[in-house]
Amino acid sequence: MVIVLKFVQPLPYMKVDCNFVFQVFNSKTAELLSHHQVEIKQEFPKEGWVEQDPKEILQSVYECIEKTCEKLGQLNIDISNIKAIGVSNQRETTVVWDKLTGEPLYNAVVWLDLRTQSTVEILSKRIPGNNNFVKSKTGLPLSTYFSALKLRWLLDNVRKVQKAVEENRALFGTIDSWLIWSLTGGVNGGVHCTDVTNASRTMLFNIHSLDWDKELCEFFGIPMEILPNVRSSSEIYGLMKISHSLKAGALEGVPISGCLGDQSAALVGQMCFKDGQAKNTYGTGCFLLCNTGRKCVFSEHGLLTTVAYKLGRDKPVYYALEGSVAIAGAVIRWLRDNLGIIKTSEEIEKLAKEVGTSYGCYFVPAFSGLYAPYWEPSARGIICGLTQFTNKCHIAFAALEAVCFQTREILEAMNRDCGIPLRHLQVDGGMTNNKILMQLQADILYIPVVKPSMPETTALGAAMAAGAADGVAVWSLDPEDLSAVTVERFEPQINAEESEIRYSTWKKAVMKSMGWVTTHTPEIGETSIFCSLPFGFFIVSSMVMLIGARYISGIL
């Protein structure tokens, strides 16, 4: 058996923002045997800031391990049969901790966080227009999305982090690094490492040499000594050392041998091992990855070039093109929590089914700006095309369409970059349970949408990597050994002309969403009448005239 520690992105069909899931797979049949899930809070200290408590994340892992092992015992499954542990995690989310005490030095700064926008604008001016060495080395555009900017903010603004770096006590990592270090001993010999897929999302990693890049670290002002060692996605990183607070002692000594960023894990779990195979994961955001094989394909249409996987220390690295949509399932949660249109996330399917159309209403959920293919941070969400006839059912339908339209934009960019249009789209993630959404996606793409019967493809991919590692070898990744997965297939049910009309109208709405935010947006409480110079001058001059008049009248 292989177990997976899966730190998932906020899912639209959960009552909370984030979850840690502990899952146990049968390595022979890829069957999910047992799992346990713990809710994790997100914190929003300021507008655009998103944080999580690293200690809560770690504690949730311990709780998940205990509860899952208890469930296995109830099923009469011997947990001594667990042969390996895999980790799948949010990418880009940034943690800095003290290697002597094991204490985080600040909350984890989450991938969606926007606090570094001004830093992005400053650094953009330092990149030569004819030599974008950042993108050529990393495959990434300069964006708040990636870890380097979050780490730069911590170094600039958190005294605890600054002091720990000065005293050589600081360690940096994404969530995978924090967990592996903690679970392999922490302050007592914990392994400080990451894998190539997570490293490729920091903007400090050269995706060609597969090493941390000195020039990039100097550009962002990041000390290289705080960075984790970079390993493949499938090898033994270290052995599990059980915390004194953990009762599941049977996991002591079990190797942690698989590590993949969540989207790469889903690509592996969907068995997209050939050039041109692609999958789309529907979570809080949408993430469409296309395997480009052993060559880097640099996008000319707003996509990211990233490391897909490296399944073994001596195995070749594979690359992918990726299109990232910031807001997909999160728009459903917004309708529930902010507008109260629905009471539960599942209700949106019922509302959308009642009308079967948006009736000309279009929703652009650019709550955090637009990601691929625009990379436009000034955009903000809009709902347009409203009439007196529009009701909450039409808005619900438009929200689902928005997810599908954004996916089509990414897919078209990917088709242009790869030169070979996809014949079908493989999908996974919590939102794929919504049949209305899946049918809409097939209609808007005008190609079939294929959903596997195994919904946990992200966890499955991490389990496959862990089980296939040298020294574990309980899971074969040879194509002839991989069993076929049963699928549900959604075929387009509208004509191509109607699909094009709806899509072109959506594009018009997207253009209207751009340019809403200027470089400096005053925080709540910061706005002042004196921010407007003409109005401020008017007020000041009026006050002077009033005081002068009273003074003169007093003399008279």
Side-chain angles (χ1 to χ4, degrees):
M1 296 187 296
V2 179
I3 61 178
V4 177
L5 309 175
K6 179 187 174 189
F7 186 50
V8 298
Q9 297 177 26
L11 293 175
Y13 290 100
M14 301 297 179
K15 293 182 180 179
V16 294
D17 289 319
C18 204
N19 296 271
F20 206 104
V21 187
F22 188 86
Q23 297 165 309
V24 183
F25 286 89
N26 185 323
S27 55
K28 301 299 181 185
T29 62
E31 177 189 0
L32 180 60
L33 298 176
S34 181
H35 78 284
H36 186 76
Q37 183 169 295
V38 172
E39 300 173 351
I40 301 171
K41 296 176 183 177
Q42 286 197 116
E43 299 176 23
F44 306 93
K46 294 183 181 181
E47 177 67 26
W49 292 28
V50 190
E51 299 179 358
Q52 292 163 337
D53 181 353
K55 292 179 73 174
E56 183 184 359
I57 292 170
L58 183 59
Q59 188 56 43
S60 72
V61 173
Y62 293 142
E63 182 180 339
C64 276
I65 290 174
E66 287 189 16
K67 297 297 184 182
T68 306
C69 288
E70 287 176 10
K71 289 180 180 179
L72 288 173
Q74 293 166 6
L75 295 171
N76 295 319
I77 297 175
D78 188 351
I79 59 176
S80 66
N81 289 327
I82 294 173
K83 303 300 181 185
I85 299 169
V87 177
S88 173
N89 60 289
Q90 288 180 350
R91 305 167 301 171
E92 299 94 22
T93 297
T94 298
V95 187
V96 179
W97 67 95
D98 189 318
K99 66 182 178 183
L100 300 183
T101 66
E103 291 293 311
L105 298 169
Y106 190 79
N107 275 346
V109 182
V110 177
W111 62 281
L112 275 172
D113 190 280
L114 295 175
R115 74 187 68 185
T116 58
Q117 184 55 47
S118 60
T119 310
V120 169
E121 292 165 6
I122 293 167
L123 290 175
S124 295
K125 297 173 183 177
R126 293 173 47 195
I127 298 176
N130 60 349
N131 179 27
N132 189 339
F133 68 95
V134 174
K135 187 171 184 180
S136 65
K137 289 186 174 188
T138 67
L140 310 174
L142 201 62
S143 168
T144 60
Y145 187 10
F146 307 107
S147 306
L149 278 301
K150 305 178 196 303
L151 180 53
R152 182 67 259 159
W153 186 91
L154 292 170
L155 291 167
D156 288 338
N157 294 279
V158 182
R159 181 56 191 152
K160 279 187 177 181
V161 173
Q162 296 165 355
K163 190 175 181 183
V165 170
E166 292 165 5
E167 297 175 359
N168 195 30
R169 294 183 286 108
L171 296 178
F172 153 79
T174 42
I175 295 297
D176 58 303
S177 298
W178 164 242
L179 292 180
I180 292 173
W181 183 82
S182 300
L183 295 174
T184 55
V187 295
N188 298 312
V191 178
H192 186 215
C193 70
T194 187
D195 90 301
V196 290
T197 66
N198 282 293
S200 73
R201 312 295 293 197
T202 61
M203 205 173 262
L204 302 170
F205 184 72
N206 189 314
I207 61 175
H208 309 287
S209 65
L210 302 184
D211 288 312
W212 300 119
D213 190 279
K214 185 178 180 182
E215 184 182 16
L216 291 171
C217 289
E218 289 175 351
F219 176 74
F220 290 105
I222 305 299
M224 296 185 73
E225 59 269 18
I226 72 174
L227 303 178
N229 293 319
V230 182
R231 313 276 285 271
S232 76
S233 307
S234 178
E235 62 177 272
I236 296 176
Y237 312 113
L239 305 181
M240 187 80 160
K241 291 185 180 178
I242 301 302
S243 162
H244 67 277
S245 64
L246 196 63
K247 300 175 184 176
L251 296 189
E252 181 83 40
V254 175
I256 300 176
S257 55
C259 180
L260 286 157
D262 49 6
Q263 303 312 317
S264 289
L267 193 74
V268 171
Q270 288 267 30
M271 302 179 195
C272 296
F273 294 125
K274 296 180 181 178
D275 294 15
Q277 287 187 312
K279 68 87 199 171
N280 195 33
T281 298
Y282 298 76
T284 291
C286 270
F287 300 90
L288 179 56
L289 266 69
C290 179
N291 190 332
T292 62
R294 295 172 64 177
K295 61 181 182 297
C296 283
V297 175
F298 282 89
S299 175
E300 297 180 1
H301 302 93
L303 303 181
L304 310 178
T305 303
T306 195
V307 174
Y309 52 81
K310 186 178 188 293
L311 295 174
R313 189 177 300 177
D314 300 320
K315 297 294 176 66
V317 63
Y318 282 76
Y319 297 94
L321 277 174
E322 176 175 340
S324 307
V325 171
I327 302 295
V331 73
I332 314 303
R333 191 170 64 244
W334 183 81
L335 292 177
R336 182 195 67 195
D337 297 343
N338 292 43
L339 295 192
I341 286 177
I342 51 178
K343 292 182 180 179
T344 66
S345 296
E346 292 80 2
E347 283 182 32
I348 195 166
E349 185 172 7
K350 180 181 177 182
L351 289 183
K353 190 175 183 179
E354 281 184 28
V355 288
T357 175
S358 67
Y359 199 75
C361 173
Y362 287 84
F363 194 157
V364 182
F367 301 151
S368 302
L370 291 169
Y371 280 21
Y374 301 102
W375 297 104
E376 181 50 69
S378 73
R380 285 298 178 268
I382 63 170
I383 303 175
C384 57
L386 300 175
T387 71
Q388 287 182 315
F389 182 73
T390 307
N391 61 36
K392 65 180 183 180
C393 296
H394 299 116
I395 293 174
F397 195 95
L400 294 182
E401 275 193 317
V403 176
C404 301
F405 286 132
Q406 290 178 104
T407 298
R408 175 164 172 176
E409 286 190 301
I410 292 173
L411 191 66
E412 287 192 345
M414 200 162 279
N415 287 340
R416 289 194 292 270
D417 282 327
C418 294
I420 304 174
L422 286 180
R423 295 181 179 179
H424 66 267
L425 180 65
Q426 294 175 230
V427 299
D428 58 76
M431 290 189 78
T432 60
N433 292 324
N434 187 322
K435 293 184 182 296
I436 296 289
L437 176 69
M438 292 295 95
Q439 186 57 57
L440 271 174
Q441 189 67 87
D443 291 344
I444 289 168
L445 294 180
Y446 212 66
I447 60 173
V449 168
V450 178
K451 175 190 170 185
S453 57
M454 162 59 77
E456 296 292 344
T457 54
T458 303
L460 178 60
M464 291 165 67
D470 286 344
V472 179
V474 296
W475 207 310
S476 173
L477 298 183
D478 291 337
E480 58 270 20
D481 295 331
L482 295 173
S483 57
V485 178
T486 57
V487 297
E488 186 176 2
R489 192 177 179 94
F490 297 85
E491 299 283 348
Q493 292 182 355
I494 64 173
N495 61 55
E497 183 180 2
E498 182 183 349
S499 180
E500 289 300 322
I501 291 172
R502 286 159 67 175
Y503 181 55
S504 63
T505 309
W506 153 264
K507 297 277 281 187
K508 188 163 62 172
V510 170
M511 293 299 108
K512 293 182 183 296
S513 76
M514 295 186 187
W516 285 88
V517 179
T518 55
T519 301
H520 175 67
T521 302
E523 294 177 3
I524 296 172
E526 180 183 329
T527 305
S528 165
I529 58 173
F530 296 102
C531 291
S532 168
L533 287 178
F535 189 60
F537 180 75
F538 171 75
I539 293 295
V540 172
S541 61
S542 298
M543 290 171 66
V544 170
M545 291 171 66
L546 180 60
I547 293 169
R550 288 185 175 180
Y551 177 74
I552 292 169
S553 65
I555 294 175
L556 296 174

